[in-house]
Every structure is written in structure tokens, then in C-alpha cells.
Coordinates of all heavy atoms in Angstrom, one line a residue:
H1458 N 0.8 -1.2 0.0 CA 0.0 0.0 0.0 C 0.9 1.3 0.0 O 2.0 1.2 0.5 CB -0.9 0.0 1.2 CG -2.1 -0.9 1.1 ND1 -3.0 -0.8 0.1 CD2 -2.4 -2.0 1.8 CE1 -3.9 -1.8 0.2 NE2 -3.6 -2.5 1.3
R1459 N 0.3 2.3 -0.5 CA 1.0 3.6 -0.5 C 1.0 4.2 0.9 O 0.2 3.7 1.8 CB 0.3 4.6 -1.4 CG 0.2 4.2 -2.9 CD -0.4 5.4 -3.6 NE -0.7 5.1 -5.0 CZ -1.2 5.9 -5.9 NH1 -1.4 7.2 -5.5 NH2 -1.5 5.6 -7.1
P1460 N 1.8 5.2 1.2 CA 1.8 5.9 2.5 C 0.3 6.3 2.7 O -0.4 6.6 1.8 CB 2.7 7.1 2.3 CG 3.7 6.6 1.3 CD 2.9 5.7 0.3
L1461 N 0.0 6.4 4.0 CA -1.4 6.7 4.4 C -1.9 8.1 3.8 O -3.0 8.2 3.3 CB -1.6 6.8 5.9 CG -1.4 5.5 6.6 CD1 -1.6 5.7 8.1 CD2 -2.3 4.4 6.1
T1462 N -1.1 9.1 3.8 CA -1.5 10.4 3.2 C -1.9 10.2 1.7 O -2.9 10.8 1.3 CB -0.3 11.4 3.3 OG1 0.0 11.6 4.7 CG2 -0.8 12.7 2.7
E1463 N -1.2 9.4 1.0 CA -1.5 9.2 -0.4 C -2.8 8.4 -0.5 O -3.6 8.6 -1.5 CB -0.4 8.5 -1.1 CG 0.9 9.3 -1.3 CD 2.0 8.6 -2.1 OE1 1.6 7.7 -2.8 OE2 3.1 9.0 -1.9
Q1464 N -3.0 7.5 0.4 CA -4.3 6.7 0.4 C -5.5 7.6 0.5 O -6.5 7.5 -0.2 CB -4.3 5.6 1.4 CG -3.3 4.5 1.2 CD -3.4 3.4 2.2 OE1 -4.5 3.0 2.6 NE2 -2.2 2.9 2.7
F1465 N -5.4 8.6 1.5 CA -6.5 9.5 1.7 C -6.6 10.5 0.6 O -7.7 10.7 0.1 CB -6.2 10.3 3.0 CG -6.1 9.4 4.2 CD1 -5.1 9.6 5.1 CD2 -7.0 8.4 4.5 CE1 -4.9 8.8 6.3 CE2 -6.8 7.6 5.6 CZ -5.8 7.8 6.5
A1466 N -5.5 11.0 0.1 CA -5.6 12.1 -0.8 C -5.8 11.6 -2.3 O -6.6 12.2 -3.0 CB -4.3 13.0 -0.8
D1467 N -5.0 10.6 -2.7 CA -5.0 10.2 -4.1 C -5.9 9.0 -4.4 O -6.3 8.8 -5.5 CB -3.6 9.9 -4.5 CG -2.6 11.1 -4.3 OD1 -3.1 12.2 -4.4 OD2 -1.4 10.9 -4.1
Q1468 N -6.1 8.2 -3.4 CA -6.9 6.9 -3.6 C -8.3 7.0 -3.0 O -9.0 6.1 -3.1 CB -6.1 5.7 -3.0 CG -4.8 5.5 -3.7 CD -4.1 4.3 -3.2 OE1 -3.8 4.1 -2.0 NE2 -3.7 3.4 -4.1
R1469 N -8.6 8.1 -2.4 CA -9.9 8.4 -1.9 C -10.4 7.4 -0.8 O -11.6 7.1 -0.7 CB -10.9 8.5 -3.0 CG -10.5 9.3 -4.2 CD -10.4 10.7 -4.0 NE -11.8 11.4 -4.0 CZ -12.1 12.5 -3.5 NH1 -11.1 13.2 -2.8 NH2 -13.3 13.1 -3.6
I1470 N -9.4 7.0 0.0 CA -9.7 6.0 1.1 C -10.2 6.8 2.3 O -9.7 7.8 2.7 CB -8.4 5.2 1.4 CG1 -8.0 4.3 0.2 CG2 -8.6 4.4 2.7 CD1 -9.1 3.4 -0.2
R1471 N -11.3 6.2 2.9 CA -11.8 6.8 4.1 C -12.0 5.7 5.2 O -12.7 5.9 6.2 CB -13.2 7.4 3.8 CG -13.0 8.6 2.9 CD -12.2 9.8 3.4 NE -12.1 10.9 2.5 CZ -11.1 11.1 1.7 NH1 -10.1 10.2 1.6 NH2 -11.1 12.2 0.9
Q1472 N -11.3 4.6 5.1 CA -11.2 3.6 6.2 C -9.9 2.9 6.1 O -9.5 2.5 5.0 CB -12.4 2.6 6.1 CG -12.3 1.4 7.0 CD -11.9 0.1 6.2 OE1 -12.6 -0.3 5.3 NE2 -10.8 -0.5 6.6
I1473 N -9.2 2.7 7.2 CA -7.9 2.0 7.2 C -8.0 0.9 8.2 O -8.8 0.9 9.1 CB -6.7 2.9 7.4 CG1 -6.8 3.6 8.8 CG2 -6.6 4.0 6.3 CD1 -5.6 4.4 9.2
E1474 N -7.0 0.0 8.1 CA -6.9 -1.1 9.0 C -5.5 -1.3 9.5 O -4.5 -1.2 8.7 CB -7.3 -2.4 8.3 CG -7.2 -3.7 9.1 CD -7.4 -4.9 8.4 OE1 -8.4 -5.0 7.5 OE2 -6.7 -5.9 8.6
L1475 N -5.3 -1.4 10.8 CA -4.0 -1.5 11.4 C -4.0 -2.8 12.3 O -4.9 -3.0 13.1 CB -3.7 -0.3 12.3 CG -3.8 1.1 11.7 CD1 -3.5 2.1 12.8 CD2 -2.9 1.2 10.5
D1476 N -3.0 -3.6 12.0 CA -2.7 -4.8 12.9 C -1.8 -4.4 14.0 O -0.7 -3.8 13.7 CB -2.1 -6.0 12.1 CG -3.1 -6.6 11.1 OD1 -4.2 -6.2 11.0 OD2 -2.7 -7.5 10.3
V1477 N -2.2 -4.6 15.2 CA -1.4 -4.0 16.3 C -0.8 -5.1 17.2 O -1.5 -6.1 17.6 CB -2.3 -3.0 17.1 CG1 -2.7 -1.8 16.2 CG2 -3.5 -3.6 17.7
F1478 N 0.4 -4.9 17.6 CA 1.1 -5.7 18.6 C 1.6 -4.9 19.8 O 2.2 -3.9 19.6 CB 2.4 -6.3 17.9 CG 2.1 -7.4 16.8 CD1 1.6 -7.0 15.6 CD2 2.4 -8.7 17.1 CE1 1.4 -7.9 14.6 CE2 2.1 -9.7 16.1 CZ 1.6 -9.3 14.8
A1479 N 1.3 -5.5 21.0 CA 1.7 -4.8 22.2 C 3.2 -4.9 22.3 O 3.8 -6.0 22.0 CB 1.0 -5.4 23.4
D1480 N 3.9 -3.9 22.8 CA 5.3 -3.9 23.0 C 5.7 -2.9 24.1 O 6.2 -1.8 23.9 CB 6.0 -3.5 21.7 CG 7.5 -3.6 21.7 OD1 8.0 -4.3 22.6 OD2 8.2 -3.1 20.8
S1481 N 5.3 -3.3 25.3 CA 5.3 -2.4 26.4 C 6.8 -2.0 26.8 O 7.0 -0.9 27.4 CB 4.6 -3.0 27.6 OG 5.2 -4.2 28.0
K1482 N 7.7 -2.8 26.5 CA 9.1 -2.5 26.9 C 9.9 -2.0 25.7 O 11.0 -1.4 25.9 CB 9.8 -3.8 27.5 CG 9.1 -4.2 28.8 CD 9.8 -5.4 29.4 CE 9.2 -5.9 30.7 NZ 9.8 -7.1 31.3
G1483 N 9.5 -2.3 24.5 CA 10.2 -1.9 23.3 C 11.2 -2.9 22.9 O 11.7 -3.7 23.7
G1484 N 11.4 -3.0 21.6 CA 12.4 -3.9 21.0 C 12.0 -5.3 20.7 O 12.8 -6.1 20.2
L1485 N 10.7 -5.7 21.1 CA 10.3 -7.0 20.9 C 10.3 -7.5 19.4 O 10.5 -8.6 19.1 CB 8.9 -7.2 21.5 CG 8.3 -8.6 21.5 CD1 9.2 -9.6 22.2 CD2 6.9 -8.6 22.2
Y1486 N 10.0 -6.5 18.5 CA 9.9 -6.9 17.1 C 11.0 -6.1 16.3 O 10.9 -5.9 15.1 CB 8.6 -6.5 16.6 CG 7.5 -7.1 17.4 CD1 6.7 -6.2 18.3 CD2 7.2 -8.4 17.4 CE1 5.8 -6.8 19.2 CE2 6.2 -9.0 18.2 CZ 5.5 -8.1 19.1 OH 4.5 -8.7 19.9
A1487 N 12.1 -5.8 17.0 CA 13.2 -5.0 16.4 C 14.2 -5.7 15.6 O 15.0 -5.1 14.9 CB 13.8 -4.1 17.5

């Protein structure tokens, strides 16, 4: 996918989806 700004501005997108992972200490997925 394009950067979010381009999705909103150029692709006329008005709904996005984010998959989220908790990382309370940092570095878990680094």
C-alpha cells in the first residue's frame, strides 16, 4: 500500500486497517 497520506488524498480512502502488537518494553519486534 501507499503511504497513508496518499491513500487518503489520491486513492480516496476513508477507512484504514491496522494490525497491532503490544510492545510495552520496546524492542520485541526490532
Side-chain angles (χ1 to χ4, degrees):
H1458 285 298
R1459 297 188 192 181
L1461 294 183
T1462 300
E1463 293 182 22
Q1464 292 186 43
F1465 302 132
D1467 301 332
Q1468 297 182 307
R1469 314 292 278 161
I1470 292 304
R1471 296 295 180 267
Q1472 171 255 300
I1473 60 173
E1474 177 186 320
L1475 305 178
D1476 291 358
V1477 298
F1478 288 74
D1480 189 11
S1481 59
K1482 296 181 180 179
L1485 185 54
Y1486 309 103

